[in-house]
Amino acid sequence: MGSRVLHLNAFENFSPGNISSGLWRHPQDRSSEYKTLRYWTRLARDLEDAGFDGVFLADILGILDVYRGGPDEALRTASQVPINDPITLISAMAAVTESLGFAVTLSTSYTHPFLLARTLTSLDHLTEGRVGWNIVTSFLDSAARNLGAGEQLQHDDRYDRADEYLEVAHKLWELSWDDDAVRVDRERGVYVDPARVRPLAHDGRYFQVPDPFIAEPSPQRTPLLFQAGSSARGQRFAAQHAEGVFVHGTRPEVIAPIVAQTREAAARLGRSRDSLKVLAVATIVTGETDEIARAKYEDLLRYIDYGGAMVQFAGPAGFDVSALDPDIPLADIDSNGAQFSARFFASADPDRVWTLREVAHYMGVGGMGPTIVGSGATVADELERWAEVADLDGFNLAYAVRPGTFDDIIRHVVPELRARGMLRTGRAPGTFREALFGADSTRLAPDHPHWSISL
Ligand SMILES: Cc1cc2nc3c(=O)[nH]c(=O)nc-3n(C[C@H](O)[C@H](O)[C@H](O)COP(=O)(O)O)c2cc1C
């Protein structure tokens, strides 16, 4: 019997390529069907039946164009491009499910909070409270250039702006309309009682929103808030605003201090340590036996595209490694980004000399997170170990091939987790927030940071 019940999300995006590189070429991969509703509705049903809490929809707003100084290699290898708008998938997936949640990525850098708040409120109504927001500040110069922002704000300034963004969103979602503002009183001819709707009167450094919100409160009011900051500033932001935190790391021992620090930072702000549900990214390759799973993994490795892996490596790190010998040790590269990456990969195995080729091999299946290979029992052991060592609440499970990775997890790992009491047997209950925090927690927790409107 496992000691904790895990929360599982599927890590998806509206693109033929996610964090593994080149695997769309695998004969069993059907990623090119990403443009069909059929793919998404089938996935949504399967995940719900298997007891997943939700689908996490990643998103970026520009091409990963650092490697080779342009978009060509990202385009050739389908490295998170082409990519459509994931928000458009949610109504369709909600229509074929009853309790699956949808955590969609939206950036605080390019959309006004008033518009973003209305979009998420609309979906929270239509899904009856099953929407989550993965709050990102964005990191691509290519997005800033094409969205009229010129240059990006500096990293920490983006978070400062995001702090105010969350304040505005909170006022829109939580404070502008009272619970009983909507009367639908036919006799008195009152649809909305104006006395129960108030203006924001928000006049901040980045945003001015003088008037009331335009949409009525939805079941959760505030969508379930996710975030994935890994820097000190990002962790501080998560501690203040997030309810779900995505982390990634090569080993649970590496993640453990980050999880502990974030929970402690939340506690310092008066929140309970458990007010944060922490999910780690992992990719699972599984089959009937360890040998079969290992053979599947060896087969996947043959399809890794070195250029694609380097596109994904260079984009977030912000430095172009295309002129470098693939066999040069990372530690010898003179750049801040490379030194950060050298430390990241050394944490996976300090005794190994990490070269760019080794990095491509590691990242090609499963990106920066771990790839767990084995039978259902072996994988369940490993998930349990990760959860115990790093104090995790669950996992954000990426795919290697679509939809085969999720099919395999559902066939081999889900029954094993259930047998150990590590996964709920039925569907997730009610709203997305209830799936993570239990019944009667549809609304923000009382210890979640609150703002007030001053008129
Ligand atoms: C699991 C996971 C998913 C992420 N998804 C996205 C995404 O969809 N879009 C995005 O722009 N950034 C995404 N990020 C990046 C984070 O938002 C953040 O920029 C990154 O973790 C670096 O954190 P920092 O800015 O605090 O250093 C993701 C990070 C993780 C760990």
Side-chain angles (χ1 to χ4, degrees):
M1 176 84 181
S3 55
R4 52 178 95 203
V5 177
L6 299 177
H7 295 276
L8 300 183
N9 275 347
F11 184 162
E12 269 282 5
N13 65 350
F14 198 0
S15 166
N18 198 3
I19 56 175
S20 297
S21 294
L23 301 192
W24 56 271
R25 298 175 299 169
H26 192 279
Q28 275 152 24
D29 187 80
R30 305 216 311 266
S31 283
S32 58
E33 292 173 22
Y34 80 102
K35 302 183 291 293
T36 66
L37 269 190
R38 201 174 49 252
Y39 173 79
W40 296 99
T41 51
R42 173 191 183 270
L43 178 72
R45 274 198 216 99
D46 289 350
L47 294 173
E48 176 168 90
D49 289 345
F52 278 60
D53 284 0
V55 187
F56 162 60
L57 295 160
D59 195 27
I60 53 175
L61 299 170
I63 298 182
L64 295 166
D65 61 358
V66 173
Y67 187 66
R68 297 216 171 129
D72 293 6
E73 194 69 350
L75 289 164
R76 182 185 71 73
T77 58
S79 297
Q80 300 188 49
V81 65
I83 187 160
N84 294 328
D85 185 344
I87 204 107
T88 58
L89 298 170
I90 294 176
S91 278
M93 289 195 281
V96 296
T97 52
E98 283 166 20
S99 60
L100 192 71
F102 308 98
V104 64
T105 300
L106 292 164
S107 173
T108 56
S109 291
Y110 306 110
T111 310
H112 193 282
F114 197 88
L115 297 176
L116 176 139
R118 188 170 72 136
T119 302
L120 290 176
T121 293
S122 310
L123 282 167
D124 204 52
H125 280 299
L126 293 174
T127 61
E128 297 179 58
R130 292 192 273 147
V131 168
W133 173 23
N134 177 39
I135 308 162
V136 298
T137 53
S138 298
F139 56 85
L140 290 170
D141 288 337
S142 60
R145 247 188 344 263
N146 290 295
L147 291 164
E151 286 193 5
Q152 296 192 79
L153 291 177
Q154 293 297 310
H155 178 272
D156 286 11
D157 295 339
R158 296 201 292 273
Y159 276 117
D160 290 347
R161 188 173 184 280
D163 273 335
E164 191 185 328
Y165 201 107
L166 268 285
E167 179 184 342
V168 174
H170 184 86
K171 290 175 177 173
L172 292 165
W173 281 321
E174 299 287 335
L175 303 176
S176 187
W177 290 53
D178 288 346
D179 282 342
D180 54 0
V182 179
R183 313 300 285 190
V184 200
D185 184 336
R186 289 189 160 84
E187 285 179 8
R188 289 174 51 232
V190 175
Y191 200 95
V192 179
D193 180 352
R196 291 176 164 82
V197 177
R198 63 194 55 78
L200 261 64
H202 181 87
D203 185 14
R205 176 167 169 210
Y206 297 101
F207 304 106
Q208 287 74 43
V209 184
D211 295 337
F213 194 28
I214 196 173
E216 69 177 271
S218 62
Q220 297 184 113
R221 281 189 175 249
T222 299
L224 186 59
L225 300 173
F226 290 91
Q227 204 261 348
S230 55
S231 60
R233 183 65 183 91
Q235 278 178 44
R236 212 162 79 225
F237 182 89
Q240 184 173 7
H241 302 286
E243 302 171 274
V245 178
F246 297 125
V247 291
H248 64 175
T250 53
R251 288 186 301 122
E253 291 78 4
V254 178
I255 293 180
I258 297 170
V259 176
Q261 281 160 22
T262 311
R263 290 196 198 279
E264 273 150 31
R268 279 197 299 278
L269 293 169
R271 303 178 66 192
S272 91
R273 288 173 61 88
D274 299 330
S275 63
L276 294 176
K277 299 292 180 195
V278 184
L279 310 181
V281 178
T283 303
I284 290 172
V285 180
T286 186
E288 286 78 2
T289 63
D290 285 347
E291 292 68 37
I292 292 173
R294 170 76 30 207
K296 282 188 190 180
Y297 180 62
E298 297 294 334
D299 179 48
L300 291 171
L301 292 176
R302 294 172 39 224
Y303 292 89
I304 293 175
D305 188 313
Y306 177 81
M310 286 298 108
V311 167
Q312 308 242 27
F313 175 70
F319 68 101
D320 182 7
V321 293
S322 57
L324 299 175
D325 176 354
D327 296 310
I328 189 175
L330 273 188
D332 293 353
I333 304 174
D334 185 19
S335 124
N336 282 341
Q339 291 311 312
F340 172 82
S341 307
R343 283 195 300 279
F344 184 91
F345 287 101
S347 74
D349 183 352
D351 298 330
R352 194 162 149 184
V353 177
W354 284 92
T355 63
L356 291 170
R357 199 185 301 281
E358 299 250 335
V359 166
H361 188 270
Y362 178 95
M363 287 183 62
V365 181
M368 308 275 271
T371 301
I372 301 173
V373 182
S375 66
T378 302
V379 171
D381 284 347
E382 193 62 358
L383 295 179
E384 192 169 0
R385 186 176 75 82
W386 272 71
E388 288 300 325
V389 173
D391 189 16
L392 300 172
D393 299 287
F395 294 89
N396 202 11
L397 298 177
Y399 65 83
V401 291
R402 259 169 164 168
T405 299
F406 295 124
D407 291 344
D408 280 351
I409 291 171
I410 290 168
R411 184 171 323 143
H412 303 293
V413 180
V414 162
E416 186 68 34
L417 292 176
R418 282 190 169 153
R420 298 178 185 204
M422 288 170 64
L423 186 68
R424 70 164 64 84
T425 41
R427 294 173 167 184
T431 60
F432 205 1
R433 193 168 278 111
E434 285 180 306
L436 259 85
F437 292 97
D440 301 324
S441 58
T442 287
R443 303 272 286 270
L444 277 182
D447 63 3
H448 196 90
H450 282 71
W451 288 265
S452 56
I453 287 179
S454 36
L455 294 174

Coordinates of all heavy atoms in Angstrom, one line a residue, residues 302-338:
R302 N 16.6 5.6 -31.0 CA 17.0 5.6 -32.4 C 16.4 6.7 -33.2 O 16.9 7.1 -34.2 CB 16.7 4.3 -33.1 CG 17.4 3.1 -32.5 CD 16.9 1.7 -33.0 NE 16.6 1.8 -34.4 CZ 15.5 1.2 -34.9 NH1 14.6 0.6 -34.2 NH2 15.3 1.3 -36.2
Y303 N 15.3 7.3 -32.6 CA 14.6 8.4 -33.4 C 14.9 9.8 -32.9 O 14.4 10.7 -33.4 CB 13.1 8.1 -33.3 CG 12.7 6.9 -34.1 CD1 12.7 5.6 -33.4 CD2 12.4 6.9 -35.4 CE1 12.4 4.5 -34.1 CE2 12.1 5.8 -36.1 CZ 12.0 4.6 -35.5 OH 11.7 3.4 -36.2
I304 N 15.8 9.9 -31.9 CA 16.1 11.2 -31.4 C 16.8 12.0 -32.5 O 17.6 11.5 -33.2 CB 17.1 11.1 -30.2 CG1 16.4 10.5 -29.0 CG2 17.6 12.5 -29.7 CD1 17.3 10.2 -27.8
D305 N 16.4 13.3 -32.6 CA 17.0 14.2 -33.5 C 17.9 15.1 -32.8 O 17.4 16.0 -32.0 CB 15.8 14.9 -34.2 CG 16.3 15.8 -35.4 OD1 17.3 16.5 -35.2 OD2 15.7 15.7 -36.5
Y306 N 19.2 15.0 -33.1 CA 20.2 15.9 -32.3 C 19.8 17.4 -32.5 O 19.8 18.1 -31.5 CB 21.6 15.6 -32.8 CG 22.6 16.4 -32.2 CD1 23.2 16.1 -30.9 CD2 23.1 17.6 -32.8 CE1 24.1 16.9 -30.3 CE2 24.1 18.4 -32.2 CZ 24.6 18.1 -31.0 OH 25.5 18.9 -30.4
G307 N 19.5 17.8 -33.7 CA 19.2 19.2 -33.9 C 18.0 19.7 -33.1 O 18.0 20.7 -32.5
G308 N 17.0 18.8 -33.1 CA 15.8 19.1 -32.3 C 16.1 19.3 -30.8 O 15.6 20.2 -30.2
A309 N 16.9 18.3 -30.3 CA 17.2 18.4 -28.9 C 18.0 19.6 -28.6 O 17.8 20.3 -27.6 CB 18.0 17.1 -28.5
M310 N 18.9 20.0 -29.5 CA 19.6 21.3 -29.3 C 18.8 22.5 -29.4 O 19.0 23.5 -28.7 CB 20.8 21.3 -30.3 CG 21.9 20.3 -30.0 SD 22.7 20.7 -28.4 CE 22.1 19.3 -27.4
V311 N 17.7 22.5 -30.3 CA 16.8 23.6 -30.3 C 16.1 23.8 -29.0 O 16.0 24.9 -28.4 CB 15.7 23.3 -31.4 CG1 14.6 24.3 -31.2 CG2 16.3 23.4 -32.8
Q312 N 15.7 22.7 -28.3 CA 15.0 22.7 -27.1 C 16.0 23.1 -25.9 O 15.6 23.7 -24.9 CB 14.4 21.4 -26.7 CG 13.5 20.9 -27.9 CD 12.1 20.7 -27.5 OE1 11.5 21.4 -26.6 NE2 11.4 19.9 -28.2
F313 N 17.2 22.7 -26.1 CA 18.2 23.0 -25.1 C 18.6 24.5 -25.1 O 18.7 25.2 -24.1 CB 19.5 22.1 -25.3 CG 20.6 22.4 -24.5 CD1 20.6 22.0 -23.1 CD2 21.8 22.9 -25.0 CE1 21.7 22.3 -22.3 CE2 22.9 23.1 -24.2 CZ 22.8 22.8 -22.8
A314 N 18.9 25.0 -26.4 CA 19.4 26.3 -26.5 C 18.3 27.4 -26.3 O 18.7 28.5 -25.8 CB 20.0 26.5 -28.0
G315 N 17.1 27.1 -26.6 CA 16.0 28.1 -26.5 C 15.9 28.7 -25.2 O 16.2 29.9 -25.0
P316 N 15.6 27.9 -24.2 CA 15.4 28.5 -22.8 C 16.8 29.0 -22.3 O 16.8 29.9 -21.5 CB 14.9 27.3 -22.0 CG 14.3 26.3 -23.0 CD 15.1 26.5 -24.2
A317 N 17.9 28.3 -22.6 CA 19.2 28.7 -22.1 C 19.6 30.0 -22.7 O 20.4 30.7 -22.1 CB 20.2 27.6 -22.3
G318 N 19.2 30.3 -23.9 CA 19.5 31.6 -24.5 C 20.9 31.6 -25.2 O 21.4 32.7 -25.4
F319 N 21.5 30.5 -25.4 CA 22.8 30.6 -26.2 C 22.9 29.6 -27.2 O 22.4 28.5 -27.1 CB 24.0 30.6 -25.2 CG 24.2 29.2 -24.6 CD1 25.1 28.3 -25.0 CD2 23.4 28.8 -23.5 CE1 25.3 27.1 -24.4 CE2 23.5 27.6 -22.9 CZ 24.5 26.7 -23.4
D320 N 23.5 29.9 -28.3 CA 23.5 29.1 -29.5 C 24.8 28.2 -29.5 O 25.9 28.6 -29.4 CB 23.6 30.0 -30.8 CG 23.6 29.1 -32.0 OD1 23.4 27.9 -32.0 OD2 23.8 29.7 -33.1
V321 N 24.5 26.9 -29.5 CA 25.6 25.9 -29.4 C 25.9 25.3 -30.7 O 26.7 24.3 -30.8 CB 25.3 24.8 -28.3 CG1 25.2 25.4 -26.9 CG2 24.0 24.1 -28.7
S322 N 25.3 25.8 -31.8 CA 25.4 25.1 -33.1 C 26.9 25.0 -33.6 O 27.2 24.1 -34.4 CB 24.5 25.7 -34.1 OG 24.8 27.0 -34.3
A323 N 27.7 26.0 -33.3 CA 29.1 26.0 -33.8 C 30.0 25.1 -33.0 O 31.2 24.9 -33.4 CB 29.6 27.4 -33.8
L324 N 29.5 24.5 -31.9 CA 30.3 23.8 -31.0 C 30.4 22.3 -31.4 O 29.4 21.7 -31.9 CB 29.9 23.9 -29.6 CG 29.9 25.3 -29.0 CD1 29.3 25.3 -27.6 CD2 31.3 25.9 -29.0
D325 N 31.5 21.7 -31.1 CA 31.7 20.2 -31.3 C 30.7 19.5 -30.3 O 30.7 19.8 -29.1 CB 33.1 19.9 -31.0 CG 33.4 18.4 -31.0 OD1 32.5 17.6 -31.2 OD2 34.6 18.1 -30.8
P326 N 29.8 18.6 -30.8 CA 28.9 17.9 -30.0 C 29.6 17.1 -28.8 O 29.0 16.8 -27.8 CB 28.2 16.9 -30.9 CG 28.4 17.4 -32.3 CD 29.7 18.2 -32.2
D327 N 30.9 16.9 -29.0 CA 31.6 16.1 -27.9 C 32.4 16.9 -27.0 O 33.1 16.4 -26.1 CB 32.5 15.0 -28.6 CG 31.6 14.0 -29.4 OD1 30.6 13.5 -28.8 OD2 31.8 13.8 -30.6
I328 N 32.2 18.2 -27.0 CA 32.8 19.1 -26.1 C 32.1 19.0 -24.7 O 30.9 19.0 -24.6 CB 32.8 20.6 -26.6 CG1 33.7 21.5 -25.7 CG2 31.4 21.1 -26.6 CD1 33.8 22.9 -26.3
P329 N 32.9 18.9 -23.6 CA 32.2 18.8 -22.3 C 31.5 20.2 -22.0 O 32.0 21.2 -22.3 CB 33.3 18.6 -21.3 CG 34.5 18.1 -22.1 CD 34.3 18.7 -23.5
L330 N 30.3 20.1 -21.5 CA 29.5 21.3 -21.1 C 30.3 22.2 -20.2 O 30.2 23.4 -20.4 CB 28.2 20.9 -20.4 CG 27.0 20.6 -21.1 CD1 25.8 20.4 -20.1 CD2 26.6 21.6 -22.1
A331 N 31.0 21.6 -19.3 CA 31.7 22.4 -18.3 C 32.8 23.3 -18.9 O 33.2 24.3 -18.3 CB 32.4 21.5 -17.3
D332 N 33.2 23.0 -20.2 CA 34.2 23.8 -20.8 C 33.7 24.9 -21.6 O 34.4 25.7 -22.2 CB 35.1 22.9 -21.8 CG 35.9 21.9 -21.0 OD1 35.9 21.9 -19.8 OD2 36.5 21.0 -21.7
I333 N 32.3 25.0 -21.7 CA 31.7 26.1 -22.6 C 31.6 27.4 -21.7 O 31.1 27.3 -20.6 CB 30.3 25.7 -23.1 CG1 30.4 24.4 -23.9 CG2 29.8 26.8 -24.0 CD1 29.1 23.8 -24.3
D334 N 32.1 28.4 -22.3 CA 32.2 29.7 -21.6 C 30.9 30.5 -21.8 O 30.9 31.4 -22.6 CB 33.4 30.5 -22.1 CG 33.6 31.7 -21.3 OD1 33.1 31.8 -20.2 OD2 34.3 32.7 -21.8
S335 N 29.9 30.2 -21.1 CA 28.6 31.0 -21.1 C 27.9 30.7 -19.8 O 27.9 29.6 -19.3 CB 27.8 30.6 -22.3 OG 26.5 30.2 -22.0
N336 N 27.1 31.7 -19.3 CA 26.4 31.5 -18.1 C 25.3 30.4 -18.3 O 25.2 29.5 -17.4 CB 25.6 32.8 -17.8 CG 26.5 33.8 -17.1 OD1 27.6 33.4 -16.7 ND2 26.1 35.0 -17.2
G337 N 24.6 30.4 -19.4 CA 23.6 29.4 -19.7 C 24.2 28.0 -19.7 O 23.6 27.1 -19.1
A338 N 25.4 27.9 -20.3 CA 26.0 26.5 -20.3 C 26.4 26.1 -19.0 O 26.3 24.9 -18.6 CB 27.2 26.6 -21.3

